[in-house]
Amino acid sequence: MTLLRHTPKDITERSALTINPAKTCQPIGAMYAALGVRGCLPHSHGSQGCCAYHRSTLTRHYKDPISAGTSSFTEGASVFGGQANLLQAIQNIFTIYEPDVIAVHTTCLSETIGDDLNQIADKAQQEGKVPEGKYVIHASTPSYVGSHVTGFSNMCTGIAKGFGRKDTPKTGKINILPGWVEPSDMEEIKRLTSMMDLKYILFPDTSGVVNAPLLGEYHMFPDAGAKIEDLKEIGGSKGTVALGETASGPTARYMDTEFKVPCTVLPLPIGLRATDRFIDTLRKVGGRNVPAVIDNERGLVVDFMSDMHQYFHGKKVALWGDPDQLVSLVEFLRDLDMLPVHIVTGTPGKTFEKRIAAIMEETKMPVPYKLKVGGDMFLMHQWIKNEPVDLLIGNTYGKYIARDENIPFVRHGFPILDRQGHQYFPTVGYKGALRLMEMILNVFLDKADRESPEAKLELVY
Amino acid sequence: MSTKTKKRKELTPDEVRQELIKKYPPKVARKRAKQIQVNTGEEASTPEILSNVRTIPGIITMRGCSYAGCKGVVLGPTRDIVNITHGPIGCGFYSWLTRRNQTQPPTEEHENFLPYCFSTDMNENDIVFGGMNKLRQAIREAYDLFKPRAIAVFSTCPVGLIGDDVHAVAREMKETLNKEDPNHFVNVFAFSCEGYKGVSQSAGHHIANNQIFTHVIGHNDEPKEGKYKINVLGEYNIGGDAFVIEDLFERCGLTLVSTFSGNSSIYDFERAHTADLNTIMCHRSINYVAEMMEKKFGIPWFKVNFIGAVETAKSLRKIAQYFGDKELIERVEKVIAEEMPAVEAALAEIKPRTAGKTAMLFVGGSRAHHYQDLFKEMGMKTLAAGYEFAHRDDYEGRRVIPSIQVDADSRNIEELDVHKDDARYKESYEARKKALEAEGCEFSDYKGMMPEMEKDTLSIDDLNQFEADKLIELYKPDIFCAGIKEKFSIQKCGVPMKQLHSYDSGGPYAGFKGAINFYKEIDRLVNSKVWSFVKAPWSTNPELQATYNWE
């Protein structure tokens, strides 16, 4: 019995109904970003449900505790404004949970009411509700604008605003904004940067926070995440390398404008050439030679590509997710001579379409492709019904299409609720490129092993 | 803040209570003290517990919102309603397939929208200028694409604030669409279940009950064929529980008219009033429908519990007693007799490994109570339990309802004014109910969780993260049951955690077969080797002297 049997092949224009979205709302991104500050408790300024939903989704994705506070709006707060709730929340959180930082983000509810976080945070400060040496930072994240990636980006700017200062003495360090990637990816970005022998401040840094070890004790605030003393120095860095236009670009430009720290915005280092660009940028801005060990890691990627090219070449791919991931994935798929023919992001934005077009042109995409910004997975499925593909790449929700249409499926993006690995193994960097190729190859070859006629079953691939 | 599980000296329950609240600011401590009670082990002296009150801002609560209770819990499991979330994208996204409600359409031709998520995805423009046009158009597009029997609209927070009249849009679209195609009836109705309503999911349950009762129940008078017609209310088919219950009913010869709302269809809701009896599983989420159906149609209700083998047998026997038919009573006994040997064999196998272990349960509006029966069967003691969103009657029993003070948050949730439907009211049930009551069969009652808990155990309402961590530290139970948000902080302490909202990946746990599954699952959890690996071998033997022993 097919699962998505109400999805017709014929495509009709929809202007109001989103079906099977390829995005979610801003606050969850803000919550995730805030978890990347050491000793920080994210706080959702809205009704309880938002916080419960975001915590649940992040927990299901990471299989790790995600703590966050809520202003627990009731009807009264919704009429009279949420200031009293937030002031009380700040006091309670510092007394009971003792974080170093509370990172407040808004919701559609508090935004529609018009609560002003700047003013409420000031009032909390004036009323002595913020203990000495503790911080309240904040970001406006209305759920009806942008997507979860916008919320992540807004909280990154909130962190920069909260801790960064103009005229900070120069440190010679580099700010690195990793973008919305997995903790394992952040770890990998740090490893590569250290191998380049550079001093850096990476934020947010969720590695070790949302993929914490089981050691017999629970720490709401593990010894991980971007350190406050480092964040206070971001205004003194010699430059910022921002990864991912949508998630990191705005924060990098904010720091450029406010702290006069110049920035380079790069695509996420997913795939061979995107990683090359990252390493090359580090080389130039840091004035360091690339060590042989990185050349070797890169060489393994090229080796894998050449060894297995026959299985990648000419395969059609449908992929959906966040713009930053898609831009780099599409380039990598093209470099493998694969054909990304259907591309959907739910996240609105003006530059995405152009960037994909540029990649397609540069890599001489031999067949037409479809792309929709602000699209959904219902449309993607309809496209697939009209033009079948060999591979799906996207979040967990793709499994229903994969099963109905019998298409190999690689899970990538957010959320991944039904597989493990994203917490532990990166898809950025050269190691990540190897892993991506391995995942793609495995789903192809598993299908071949399952479905080849007996006489044709291959032992050696 | 960190949690370690070093056992301290034995504390009395009152001392534990003090430990839980001593770090709180005074105002918080005063309120929480009333939500933490020590059980007396008897009904008469059950203490009053403060519940169904606001969570204090900043407290890391387990609770969700009204929308989650309405769309997520009550209406979510029904397969053939196109549920449109009216709001920004998040709420619809997060409630998309995440509760593990299973459904089995009878054939490929039957509708199943469960794998779909529908939303108006409101943007800034809609918030500023109103979202009613977009909602109208979304209903139109859903109708054109799917021609469903019903389209339901669920309001999220901003909808109430900007004043979109979702009910007017639903009414209007229902009229328009049915006029366009009079041969295909489509029902369109809306829920004002904005997340800020009430204090928890509970408000959403009530809102869901009201609208289903108003717009759906009673729509079709054609009775389902079969004898002994009953409804099961408050069973959501998580992990396949409803399938087990359906199988039991079929073997007993009972006719299940409708389940609210596990493995359910709107066509069954429409004729739910043709049943002879309403049985309630989850009292909190659905007692309103039972009460209203009794008032309007005269259908009696009583509480059942299909969690635990003993309680399942008891519930089946009570249903048979209600109908009073010898044939049915015998069939029920036969089914119980068929099921029990496997239950007893499973218990004999696992009990030596589970007996004497301890559990804590903080979940929902009924499961914290029901699952204590399963733990009891395994010889495990429940040290502390509580609900996320229950009211005093769920804790102390329905006898306290007259003394419950209705506060402003609850007053905002509409109480429907329900009248007797003279044409369809079944007077005969009243006489039967009276006769059975004289025999000691209880109707319209729920005794609550607290009277059934042992003396000196704790009942804690709306448990929060801080208190959960403290309980782990003070008691180190052998297993802790709650939801996904709580799961991994508990397990980081080396204490196994079982989700009782979604059952992790497990289930079914209802009925006799479910009981066996649960015994095995708990045995697996409390006896898993993994908890012995938490400390690295060198951590207990830090000396650095080496003796090379290559052999």
Side-chain angles (χ1 to χ4, degrees):
Chain A
M1 206 179 274
T2 51
L3 290 157
L4 299 170
R5 61 176 166 276
H6 302 291
T7 307
K9 190 175 173 186
D10 287 341
I11 300 170
T12 46
E13 173 78 21
R14 279 176 286 129
S15 63
L17 186 67
T18 293
I19 312 175
N20 301 350
K23 67 164 181 184
T24 182
C25 68
Q26 282 210 46
I28 195 169
M31 186 179 283
Y32 179 55
L35 289 165
V37 174
R38 190 167 300 210
C40 177
L41 188 76
H43 182 84
S44 167
H45 187 50
S47 36
Q48 267 152 217
C50 311
C51 186
Y53 274 143
H54 304 147
R55 290 179 63 205
S56 298
T57 307
L58 287 165
T59 304
R60 290 186 183 112
H61 179 79
Y62 288 115
K63 314 293 183 227
D64 243 20
I66 305 293
S67 295
T70 164
S71 291
S72 291
F73 276 42
T74 55
E75 200 143 0
S78 306
V79 175
F80 301 111
Q83 174 171 293
N85 289 49
L86 184 51
L87 290 173
Q88 197 185 359
I90 289 171
Q91 183 175 28
N92 284 334
I93 288 169
F94 279 129
T95 311
I96 300 165
Y97 302 103
E98 303 177 58
D100 295 323
V101 187
I102 301 174
V104 187
H105 62 261
T106 54
T107 56
C108 46
L109 177 56
S110 52
E111 285 288 339
T112 308
I113 298 168
D115 278 354
D116 179 355
L117 289 188
N118 247 324
Q119 178 255 323
I120 301 174
D122 280 351
K123 198 169 162 69
Q125 200 70 253
Q126 283 157 17
E127 289 182 359
K129 292 192 160 68
V130 184
E132 190 68 30
K134 307 258 178 169
Y135 304 85
V136 175
I137 62 171
H138 50 86
S140 166
T141 53
S143 321
Y144 45 78
V145 176
S147 77
H148 55 294
V149 192
T150 324
F152 180 91
S153 173
N154 285 340
M155 184 50 85
C156 288
T157 308
I159 294 166
K161 265 187 201 170
F163 295 107
R165 293 293 172 264
K166 198 158 66 177
D167 304 325
T168 306
K170 296 287 172 227
T171 60
K173 291 181 185 174
I174 295 170
N175 297 327
I176 299 180
L177 295 165
W180 186 328
V181 291
E182 299 297 351
S184 50
D185 295 322
M186 298 188 186
E187 193 70 58
E188 179 65 6
I189 291 166
K190 289 194 287 186
R191 189 184 71 93
L192 287 170
T193 313
S194 298
M195 282 164 79
M196 290 295 294
D197 195 24
L198 297 179
K199 297 267 179 287
Y200 61 88
I201 302 166
L202 179 128
F203 78 95
D205 180 3
T206 60
S207 63
V209 181
V210 297
N211 58 348
L214 199 158
L215 299 171
E217 290 175 12
Y218 166 60
H219 298 276
M220 188 179 277
F221 308 107
D223 290 330
K227 290 180 187 158
I228 293 167
E229 65 253 38
D230 288 346
L231 291 171
K232 286 174 144 182
E233 288 189 340
I234 55 175
S237 293
K238 66 177 175 185
T240 299
V241 176
L243 304 175
E245 172 58 48
T246 326
S248 301
T251 311
R253 289 189 196 99
Y254 170 83
M255 293 195 288
D256 196 330
T257 314
E258 291 295 317
F259 313 146
K260 306 293 174 231
V261 176
C263 67
T264 304
V265 183
L266 298 175
L268 283 178
I270 295 174
L272 179 72
R273 286 198 292 153
T275 305
D276 286 349
R277 264 176 235 122
F278 175 58
I279 297 293
D280 205 36
T281 304
L282 291 183
R283 180 180 72 87
K284 287 176 188 156
V285 300
R288 298 281 200 280
N289 288 323
V290 178
V293 58
I294 289 186
D295 281 325
N296 285 345
E297 282 189 13
R298 184 182 185 280
L300 288 176
V301 176
V302 182
D303 187 57
F304 193 140
M305 288 171 81
S306 70
D307 290 348
M308 295 290 138
H309 183 256
Q310 66 270 33
Y311 301 110
F312 296 119
H313 174 264
K315 295 286 195 302
K316 288 185 177 174
V317 189
L319 61 167
W320 66 95
D322 304 339
D324 295 343
Q325 269 79 1
L326 291 175
V327 164
S328 299
L329 279 172
V330 164
E331 185 187 58
F332 189 41
L333 294 174
R334 286 300 302 126
D335 288 346
L336 288 162
D337 284 315
M338 299 178 79
L339 306 171
V341 288
H342 307 317
I343 304 160
V344 162
T345 181
T347 299
K350 293 190 182 87
T351 57
F352 179 67
E353 201 165 350
K354 274 187 216 142
R355 304 195 55 146
I356 296 290
I359 292 167
M360 295 299 197
E361 198 188 323
E362 191 252 335
T363 59
K364 300 191 174 56
M365 172 80 164
V367 295
Y369 67 96
K370 289 195 174 68
L371 177 146
K372 174 101 178 174
V373 175
D376 55 31
M377 290 174 66
F378 188 78
L379 175 68
M380 161 136 293
H381 192 184
Q382 289 183 309
W383 283 349
I384 291 168
K385 281 178 181 292
N386 286 284
E387 184 187 354
V389 294
D390 304 298
L391 175 68
L392 302 177
I393 302 180
N395 67 16
T396 281
Y397 285 98
K399 76 192 283 174
Y400 294 82
I401 302 174
R403 184 178 149 125
D404 277 0
E405 311 290 344
N406 188 24
I407 305 171
F409 174 31
V410 167
R411 287 158 178 82
H412 192 268
F414 181 83
I416 296 172
L417 309 173
D418 61 339
R419 290 292 187 278
Q420 300 305 299
H422 50 279
Q423 314 94 319
Y424 311 114
F425 311 112
T427 59
V428 302
Y430 300 117
K431 297 265 186 212
L434 287 175
R435 177 160 177 258
L436 269 175
M437 285 190 288
E438 185 207 9
M439 290 198 292
I440 294 171
L441 195 63
N442 282 351
V443 293
F444 282 156
L445 300 183
D446 282 346
K447 186 169 195 274
D449 283 346
R450 221 168 33 237
E451 297 179 357
S452 299
E454 282 84 349
K456 297 267 184 189
L457 185 68
E458 299 279 354
L459 175 71
V460 182
Y461 283 116
Chain B
M1 213 191 91
S2 66
T3 311
K4 299 175 188 174
T5 54
K6 285 183 197 137
K7 275 221 170 181
R8 300 187 181 180
K9 73 175 177 59
E10 286 281 312
L11 297 176
T12 67
D14 261 322
E15 285 167 335
V16 171
R17 196 159 164 248
Q18 287 313 312
E19 279 289 310
L20 293 181
I21 60 172
K22 79 175 181 198
K23 199 180 177 189
Y24 288 144
K27 219 173 127 186
V28 179
R30 272 199 301 277
K31 189 166 184 179
R32 289 302 301 159
K34 294 182 201 155
Q35 291 176 274
I36 304 169
Q37 297 296 343
V38 180
N39 294 309
T40 58
E42 51 176 41
E43 189 175 354
S45 59
T46 299
E48 180 177 331
I49 186 163
L50 184 69
S51 55
N52 191 33
V53 291
R54 293 177 189 181
T55 296
I56 302 156
I59 297 294
I60 301 180
T61 174
M62 296 178 177
R63 283 175 169 177
C65 66
S66 167
Y67 167 87
C70 183
K71 195 267 183 181
V73 173
V74 180
L75 270 299
T78 308
R79 63 176 160 264
D80 44 14
I81 305 177
V82 170
N83 287 330
I84 302 178
T85 299
H86 185 40
I89 198 66
C91 306
F93 183 87
Y94 305 117
S95 56
W96 181 16
L97 284 167
T98 44
R99 277 182 52 82
R100 299 192 69 236
N101 308 112
Q102 300 181 358
T103 199
Q104 181 65 58
T107 72
E108 178 101 10
E109 302 308 310
H110 285 77
E111 294 163 311
N112 178 14
F113 298 112
L114 235 59
Y116 291 88
C117 164
F118 306 98
S119 170
T120 55
D121 186 14
M122 289 173 90
N123 57 34
E124 199 157 19
N125 214 39
D126 305 319
I127 298 290
V128 175
F129 299 106
M132 286 169 68
N133 280 335
K134 194 172 197 183
L135 177 60
R136 228 173 253 127
Q137 178 62 20
I139 293 172
R140 157 68 62 193
E141 288 169 6
Y143 178 78
D144 288 346
L145 271 169
F146 308 114
K147 295 278 181 319
R149 175 69 163 190
I151 297 172
V153 176
F154 299 85
S155 302
T156 64
C157 289
V159 169
L161 290 185
I162 63 174
D164 275 3
D165 189 345
V166 292
H167 304 287
V169 173
R171 256 196 318 272
E172 177 201 317
M173 288 308 288
K174 182 176 172 180
E175 206 183 301
T176 311
L177 299 175
N178 283 306
K179 216 178 268 172
E180 270 175 31
D181 185 358
N183 298 320
H184 173 87
F185 174 74
V186 58
N187 201 346
V188 188
F189 44 94
F191 299 84
S192 287
C193 54
E194 289 88 347
Y196 57 75
K197 293 262 171 82
V199 299
S200 68
Q201 294 96 310
S202 175
H205 303 146
H206 195 166
I207 292 162
N209 279 230
N210 286 350
Q211 296 301 81
I212 281 291
F213 184 75
T214 307
H215 295 280
V216 183
I217 295 172
H219 184 79
N220 179 2
D221 286 329
E222 197 181 318
K224 204 169 191 170
E225 283 198 15
K227 276 168 140 180
Y228 322 121
K229 291 196 274 281
I230 72 173
N231 297 320
V232 175
L233 309 184
E235 155 49 54
Y236 301 108
N237 202 23
I238 288 164
D241 278 354
F243 297 146
V244 174
I245 296 169
E246 286 168 19
D247 173 66
L248 279 176
F249 280 14
E250 200 179 315
R251 286 160 55 207
C252 291
L254 296 163
T255 304
L256 180 63
V257 179
S258 68
T259 302
F260 287 77
S261 53
N263 192 31
S264 67
S265 159
I266 185 152
Y267 294 94
D268 296 337
F269 291 170
E270 288 173 358
R271 55 181 172 177
H273 64 296
T274 64
D276 304 312
L277 172 69
N278 278 326
T279 59
I280 292 195
M281 274 287 283
C282 174
H283 173 261
R284 180 68 270 135
S285 59
I286 206 98
N287 74 85
Y288 318 93
V289 158
E291 288 276 292
M292 292 189 285
M293 279 172 81
E294 179 155 20
K295 258 191 205 161
K296 187 167 175 181
F297 303 109
I299 304 168
W301 71 266
F302 55 66
K303 176 87 180 64
V304 289
N305 177 14
F306 293 109
I307 300 298
V310 176
E311 287 296 315
T312 300
K314 218 198 263 178
S315 297
L316 288 174
R317 284 183 177 125
K318 187 165 179 177
I319 293 167
Q321 183 195 5
Y322 172 79
F323 289 103
D325 192 299
K326 190 162 168 273
E327 183 204 334
L328 175 66
I329 293 169
E330 281 171 2
R331 260 179 96 169
V332 163
E333 289 306 327
K334 187 166 163 274
V335 169
I336 295 171
E338 281 165 8
E339 295 276 353
M340 282 313 282
V343 172
E344 279 153 13
L347 264 184
E349 155 72 20
I350 63 103
K351 210 168 168 177
R353 292 187 298 271
T354 56
K357 300 222 186 264
T358 56
M360 291 186 179
L361 301 85
F362 293 93
V363 63
S366 71
R367 287 187 175 161
H369 181 192
H370 291 165
Y371 277 80
Q372 291 188 34
D373 294 321
L374 274 167
F375 284 116
K376 210 179 288 164
E377 288 171 10
M378 283 181 276
M380 291 174 68
K381 182 181 174 176
T382 301
L383 299 171
Y387 298 124
E388 225 181 291
F389 46 73
H391 302 192
R392 272 185 64 201
D393 37 327
D394 305 293
Y395 283 105
E396 302 166 52
R398 283 181 70 95
R399 63 191 177 90
V400 304
I401 287 178
S403 63
I404 295 178
Q405 283 180 339
V406 182
D407 64 10
D409 296 310
S410 292
R411 248 195 305 277
N412 288 338
I413 312 302
E414 189 188 11
E415 283 285 348
L416 295 184
D417 192 14
V418 178
H419 299 284
K420 186 170 168 180
D421 181 336
D422 287 326
R424 296 190 281 183
Y425 194 88
K426 300 195 187 165
E427 306 282 350
S428 61
Y429 294 146
E430 264 180 48
R432 173 154 6 160
K433 185 174 156 181
K434 281 216 177 79
L436 283 165
E437 273 174 337
E439 287 174 28
C441 178
E442 283 168 343
F443 285 89
S444 313
D445 197 18
Y446 174 40
K447 294 256 179 268
M449 177 182 86
M450 291 168 75
E452 290 191 4
M453 288 185 67
E454 277 181 39
K455 188 173 185 304
D456 287 342
T457 56
L458 292 170
S459 285
I460 306 175
D461 181 58
D462 186 17
L463 186 82
N464 57 55
Q465 172 122 28
F466 175 78
E467 291 165 14
D469 295 342
K470 262 278 177 268
L471 287 176
I472 294 291
E473 183 185 318
L474 298 174
Y475 285 101
K476 195 165 200 247
D478 294 296
I479 193 158
F480 193 96
C481 305
I484 182 71
K485 304 192 294 301
E486 295 75 43
K487 183 173 176 82
F488 299 102
S489 60
I490 304 292
Q491 293 203 160
K492 284 278 190 274
C493 299
V495 174
M497 196 285 185
K498 178 69 188 167
Q499 284 189 68
L500 282 187
H501 291 275
S502 70
Y503 298 167
D504 295 307
S505 56
Y509 297 137
F512 304 100
K513 294 203 169 59
I516 295 169
N517 289 340
F518 196 74
Y519 303 153
K520 289 181 177 165
E521 172 71 349
I522 296 305
D523 178 32
R524 176 187 74 77
L525 277 162
V526 300
N527 294 304
S528 165
K529 274 200 288 296
V530 68
W531 311 112
S532 70
F533 301 143
V534 171
K535 291 286 169 229
W538 47 87
S539 66
T540 46
N541 182 20
E543 287 150 54
L544 288 177
Q545 44 174 248
T547 45
Y548 294 101
N549 193 357
W550 295 100
E551 198 164 17

